[in-house]
Amino acid sequence: MTMSAVLETHQLSSGYHGHAFVTDLDISVEPGEVIALLGPNGAGKTTTLLAIAGELPALSGTVEMFGRKRTDALYKRAADGLAFVTEERSVFMQLTTAENFRVGGADAVECLQMFPELEPLMNRTAGLLSGGEQQMVTIARALSRKPKLLLIDELSLGLAPLVVHRLLDVVRDAASTHGIGVILVEQKVELALAVSNRAYVLRDGKVILQGPSDHIGAQVKELEESYLSGIA
Ligand code: ATP
């Protein structure tokens, strides 16, 4: 593991019921770096995040996180600085925005600095917030705790592009300000490439393309077109 990386996987394979679905993954994340994890439906993006998080076992290969090899569970990795924002919105619907920050151990002042639009909604029950506002609460709460590595699965599901833009801008700023490494699984490819430093493209559980996000845009577009036309 390089001295500075928050995550390095080496030839990592993982999957379900003892069968590998993602194979031979070499993925690294440096502090402050936003990594986009792209690929068509079923490519293995969520499986990769679950393996990194410790929710699925490494069937072969290794996960090195925060300077050491890990085979432990998510809650132990979380105690050392891993945060995982999953597809399901994870706000407490019966609690207010302010209570959501409090029980999540987040600093409300800091959360409002990230998303001032939540200020008038602090006493509103989170169940009554829009989908985008709920994601703001989720993301602010996760970032405010200053994880070393933040995994985000499909932030944009069902949200308007403008809202997704806003959320991802905040993630990118917080990542570079606080040195948080981020892996972002995202269906909106252009947006993901615009906010990330580097990207990995998965297909059938393997990395088929990787590189700096501002260099690989054209290749990703070609790949996308070939999926859509069913040629590749
Ligand atoms: P999407 O964009 O559709 O969420 P993805 O790239 O995140 O796709 P994964 O969710 O990682 O893809 O799924 C990869 C493969 O693993 C798929 O073939 C899926 O059917 C399979 N899979 C997912 N969850 C399970 C499970 N609990 N048990 C068995 N197979 C599963």
Side-chain angles (χ1 to χ4, degrees), residues 87-108:
E87 272 178 84
E88 310 84 50
R89 300 212 170 105
S90 42
V91 290
F92 300 105
M93 296 292 183
Q94 277 81 22
L95 301 183
T96 65
T97 301
E99 288 165 344
N100 264 279
F101 291 147
R102 203 159 42 239
V103 299
D107 177 345

Side-chain angles (χ1 to χ4, degrees), residues 26-54:
D26 290 310
I27 293 175
S28 67
V29 186
E30 301 286 324
E33 210 180 20
V34 178
I35 302 294
L37 192 55
L38 307 172
N41 286 337
K45 304 180 295 295
T46 298
T47 305
T48 300
L49 291 190
L50 292 171
I52 290 169

Side-chain angles (χ1 to χ4, degrees), residues 85-191:
V85 174
T86 55
E87 272 178 84
E88 310 84 50
R89 300 212 170 105
S90 42
V91 290
F92 300 105
M93 296 292 183
Q94 277 81 22
L95 301 183
T96 65
T97 301
E99 288 165 344
N100 264 279
F101 291 147
R102 203 159 42 239
V103 299
D107 177 345
V109 173
E110 204 177 5
C111 291
L112 291 178
Q113 278 165 0
M114 290 183 229
F115 294 107
E117 51 270 70
L118 294 177
E119 173 108 57
L121 305 173
M122 285 297 268
N123 295 317
R124 187 171 299 181
T125 306
L128 299 177
L129 301 177
S130 71
E133 289 158 354
Q134 288 176 4
Q135 285 295 54
M136 286 177 197
V137 173
T138 305
I139 291 293
R141 206 172 50 186
L143 289 171
S144 158
R145 298 176 68 182
K146 310 281 181 333
K148 295 181 203 146
L149 178 63
L150 172 62
L151 311 177
I152 303 178
D153 199 357
E154 299 270 354
L155 187 71
S156 70
L157 226 59
L159 300 182
L162 212 63
V163 176
V164 181
H165 227 291
R166 173 98 184 90
L167 287 162
L168 293 182
D169 274 347
V170 169
V171 169
R172 181 183 48 190
D173 288 352
S176 67
T177 306
H178 301 294
I180 302 168
V182 177
I183 304 183
L184 186 69
V185 165
E186 185 48 66
Q187 290 285 356
K188 294 192 166 55
V189 171
E190 271 179 38
L191 215 55

